Amino acid sequence: MRVILAEDSILLREGLVRLLTEEGHEVIAAVGDADRLLQAVAATPPDVVVADVRMPPTHTDEGLRAALEIRRSRPEVGVLVLSQYVEKRYATELLTGESEGVGYLLKDRVVQVDEFLDALERVAAGRAAFDSEVVRQLLGRTTHVDPLARLSARERSVLAEMAQGHTNAAIARRLHISQSAVEKHTNAIFDKLELAGGGEGYSRRVLAVLRYLGS
């Protein structure tokens, strides 16, 4: 796949360039700030962008705002955001909107190469990829009456796996249950959370769940 990297840490940026190149991917550009990220995407749209949330000059949310702009202007480009900490507001912002192909990983996850590459491929393919710790915190607390209280322990486990971007087949393997059981639990989750049907596509369902929980 073709990738654009935006990371102000030279060491991490160069490490990612080397990793992706060795894995056979093409790194179109590797930049250190949000302005150059937007310029690079405009010049040569990639399959996926990997961007740090906090970049110069203020090191607050420049990367996140650039990621949101890319999602609005080029929904066909996958966006994988990296963050040092779980920042719920930023994760929720990424989940608002209908564009598919989005992920949010903690930087510590990058050192787990297989997981990072798997997340990158899922995002490039138009699916979701959210760090398990991000999902745990998003699902663990809401600002309204907790709808998750209606779910069984197994249904909560399935929901957390869904939110990370795993397919039903992958969830079945990870939880050591049958795929038909996963489908049964999935239907129960959406019934209990009172989420309307009709949306097609796995990642659309994931985004709907997380938007509901983040509202």
Side-chain angles (χ1 to χ4, degrees):
M1 72 185 76
R2 299 181 306 159
V3 183
I4 290 179
L5 299 173
E7 166 60 56
D8 64 309
S9 167
I10 296 176
L11 183 62
L12 178 56
R13 187 169 72 238
E14 293 304 316
L16 287 172
V17 169
R18 175 173 295 185
L19 170 64
L20 292 172
T21 301
E22 290 177 351
E23 290 295 322
H25 303 303
E26 179 185 358
V27 179
I28 298 173
V31 301
D33 61 69
D35 287 342
R36 284 189 289 169
L37 167 60
L38 293 174
Q39 292 169 6
V41 171
T44 310
D47 297 311
V48 62
V49 163
V50 178
D52 189 5
V53 166
R54 298 182 176 187
M55 289 193 290
T58 68
H59 293 278
T60 54
D61 62 354
E62 284 86 351
L64 184 278
R65 286 189 283 110
L68 293 173
E69 175 59 31
I70 292 167
R71 291 195 70 202
R72 284 190 293 267
S73 62
R74 296 186 178 274
E76 75 279 6
V77 175
V79 174
L80 179 60
V81 167
L82 303 179
S83 179
Q84 191 69 41
Y85 310 102
V86 179
E87 301 178 86
K88 294 183 183 180
R89 179 172 66 86
Y90 294 155
T92 301
E93 282 193 68
L94 280 174
L95 290 165
T96 58
E98 295 300 322
S99 298
E100 299 179 350
V102 63
Y104 187 112
L105 293 185
L106 296 181
K107 285 188 175 181
D108 289 347
R109 193 71 65 192
V110 175
V111 301
Q112 300 178 30
V113 174
D114 289 342
E115 290 191 28
F116 170 69
L117 293 173
D118 177 65
L120 190 68
E121 290 174 3
R122 278 185 274 155
V123 169
R127 292 161 52 199
F130 283 80
D131 191 284
S132 57
E133 181 61 18
V134 175
V135 172
R136 186 188 69 78
Q137 293 200 26
L138 284 175
L139 302 187
R141 183 181 302 171
T142 62
T143 57
H144 50 280
V145 176
D146 187 3
L148 298 177
R150 306 174 188 172
L151 304 185
S152 69
R154 177 61 79 186
E155 288 163 355
R156 289 177 66 100
S157 296
V158 170
L159 178 58
E161 296 291 337
M162 286 174 57
Q164 290 179 59
H166 297 298
T167 63
N168 284 354
I171 294 171
R173 291 193 300 271
R174 291 168 67 89
L175 298 183
H176 306 292
I177 58 178
S178 68
Q179 189 166 334
S180 62
V182 173
E183 293 169 357
K184 178 181 177 181
H185 290 312
T186 298
N187 290 332
I189 289 166
F190 282 95
D191 287 342
K192 291 181 180 180
L193 295 181
E194 299 178 351
L195 293 169
E200 296 183 357
Y202 156 79
S203 57
R204 186 183 298 275
R205 298 203 314 272
V206 172
L207 295 176
V209 170
L210 291 179
R211 283 204 303 271
Y212 178 81
L213 295 174
S215 64

